[in-house]
Amino acid sequence: MRILIVEDEARIADFLERGLRAEGHFCVVANDGEAGLALALDGDFDLVLLDLMLPGIHGREVCQQIRVNKVDTPLIILSAMDSLDDVITGLRMGADDYMTKPFSFEELLARIETVTRRSSEITTQEKSLATGPLEFDRSSLRFSVDGREIKLTAKELAIMELLMSNPGTLFSRERILSNVWGLNMDPLTNVVDVYIGKLRKKIDAENAESFIETVRGLGYRLRVV
Ligand code: CA
């Protein structure tokens, strides 16, 4: 995903940028409200992470202006202002979520997943996902390669849907596990690797490079073809 980070504190901006890059995202950092607003209005971002106490324009105003200008990019406020009033005001300004600092990076990832899934459900529900020769029709749950239908189990379909939602993006085993099997699975299980193996047997042509790339020690991603 393309993520805009609007944060004036270099330490926090750095931490976010490094963490999100490691998860396979592309990040742009704006250090004040003005730059953040301009980028949010012009840039083609999938998500905005917005601090409130910013030099120049206050984050609340940034958020409001983004929505007034009919930009509906998912937006999460990250702020040290933690009163219920602050949270409610932020959500009323059009933020999709509000996290108070300090926060755990794992929780941020989970919230990002929720708000971006919500928005992609709104814009692309009922549509099919397609990457190169791979196609997944969400309404009929039909998966095909080069127009040839391939029978996949529910779990296999869920993995493909996840990978195809963001081709080229790295998905850690933990993310695949929590998305497809739920959070209660033992994180040490190798079930993800087993299912990826099954999927490869079904969808890859013999001797061809696999559609699903292994990123050693990190996870998997869909090859952009
Ligand atoms: Ca700040």
Side-chain angles (χ1 to χ4, degrees):
M1 281 195 293
R2 289 173 53 84
I3 301 177
L4 172 61
I5 301 167
V6 189
E7 170 65 73
D8 59 319
E9 224 172 298
R11 192 178 50 86
I12 298 176
D14 257 23
F15 165 77
L16 288 170
E17 192 181 9
R18 262 185 289 129
L20 292 167
R21 283 217 171 124
E23 288 286 318
H25 301 296
F26 174 80
C27 299
V28 173
V29 176
N31 303 308
D32 60 58
E34 220 149 40
L37 179 58
L39 280 165
L41 294 182
D42 278 349
D44 181 21
F45 292 98
D46 303 301
L47 175 74
V48 178
L49 299 179
L50 178 65
D51 179 31
L52 288 183
M53 304 289 277
L54 291 164
I57 313 172
H58 192 278
R60 223 177 275 145
E61 176 74 15
V62 173
C63 180
Q64 203 173 18
Q65 283 302 316
I66 290 173
R67 295 309 187 223
V68 165
N69 284 279
K70 307 243 173 295
V71 173
D72 60 0
T73 313
L75 185 149
I76 301 176
I77 291 176
L78 304 176
S79 174
M81 297 165 66
D82 59 356
S83 79
L84 189 57
D85 265 1
D86 294 321
V87 177
I88 291 170
T89 308
L91 295 174
R92 285 217 175 112
M93 295 290 166
D96 297 279
D97 205 346
Y98 193 113
M99 289 184 75
T100 53
K101 293 172 185 167
F103 52 82
S104 88
F105 191 68
E106 280 306 303
E107 186 183 356
L108 175 65
L109 287 181
R111 302 254 196 139
I112 287 175
E113 216 166 89
T114 307
V115 301
T116 54
R117 188 169 49 213
R118 210 184 288 150
S119 91
S120 74
E121 270 167 12
I122 293 164
T123 52
T124 63
Q125 206 167 31
E126 304 302 321
K127 283 187 200 162
S128 65
L129 291 170
T131 313
L134 308 182
E135 214 177 314
F136 174 53
D137 186 321
R138 280 179 158 145
S139 45
S140 65
L141 298 181
R142 192 176 172 276
F143 179 84
S144 60
V145 180
D146 274 327
R148 188 168 47 89
E149 183 173 6
I150 294 176
K151 296 272 179 224
L152 300 182
T153 65
K155 293 274 187 265
E156 290 166 349
L157 278 176
I159 293 173
M160 285 316 292
E161 185 177 18
L162 182 65
L163 295 178
M164 288 175 78
S165 68
N166 259 312
T169 295
L170 169 71
F171 288 89
S172 65
R173 284 182 181 72
E174 292 76 12
R175 263 182 89 183
I176 298 173
L177 202 60
S178 68
N179 258 278
V180 176
W181 280 271
L183 289 162
N184 295 325
M185 280 295 276
D186 173 5
L188 297 176
T189 171
N190 69 343
V191 68
V192 172
D193 309 275
V194 172
Y195 268 79
I196 295 285
K198 288 184 189 190
L199 271 168
R200 282 177 170 152
K201 277 204 188 97
K202 288 187 179 179
I203 69 175
D204 292 336
E206 237 174 293
N207 302 323
E209 212 181 325
S210 178
F211 287 116
I212 304 169
E213 289 180 332
T214 303
V215 183
R216 199 185 287 263
L218 293 175
Y220 297 98
R221 70 177 159 223
L222 201 65
R223 190 156 54 88
V224 180
V225 280

